Amino acid sequence: MNVAEWILVAILSITLFVFLIVGIVLFIKLIDLSKETKEVVKESKDIARNANGIVSNVKGMTSIGGTMEMFVDKYINPKLKEKIKEKKEESKDGGKK
């Protein structure tokens, strides 16, 4: 091999080595980022649960909220359950009544 070929091989080897190191570092950083993302998602789930609890407490304290909750529990939910039961029975019967 002459000198020009050795220079090209050396340049290519150094370039590939640099890209290998950069790729390994980037891969490690992405793994750390995914771990942090999982932690953020867990924290946000906890915050959402707490916010839902606070909203339900405030809804129960307001006069209209308590009234609406009672109305939904006593009148709307039973009718919805009845309709769902009818739909299930229709689907079991194959649509025949």
Side-chain angles (χ1 to χ4, degrees), residues 20-74:
L20 178 68
I21 298 299
V22 169
I24 290 171
V25 169
L26 180 65
F27 187 69
I28 292 171
K29 292 289 183 183
L30 287 174
I31 290 173
D32 290 340
L33 181 66
S34 68
K35 288 178 184 177
E36 288 180 27
T37 305
K38 287 180 185 178
E39 291 177 11
V40 168
V41 168
K42 287 179 185 177
E43 291 284 330
S44 63
K45 284 182 182 178
D46 289 340
I47 291 171
R49 284 189 197 117
N50 290 337
N52 285 337
I54 291 170
V55 167
S56 65
N57 287 339
V58 169
K59 182 177 70 173
M61 285 186 227
T62 61
S63 62
I64 191 74
T67 305
M68 289 304 293
E69 187 175 6
M70 181 192 69
F71 178 75
V72 168
D73 286 341
K74 286 194 175 189

Side-chain angles (χ1 to χ4, degrees), residues 3-15:
V3 178
E5 292 172 343
W6 280 105
I7 291 172
L8 286 175
V9 169
I11 290 172
L12 287 174
S13 298
I14 291 170
T15 306

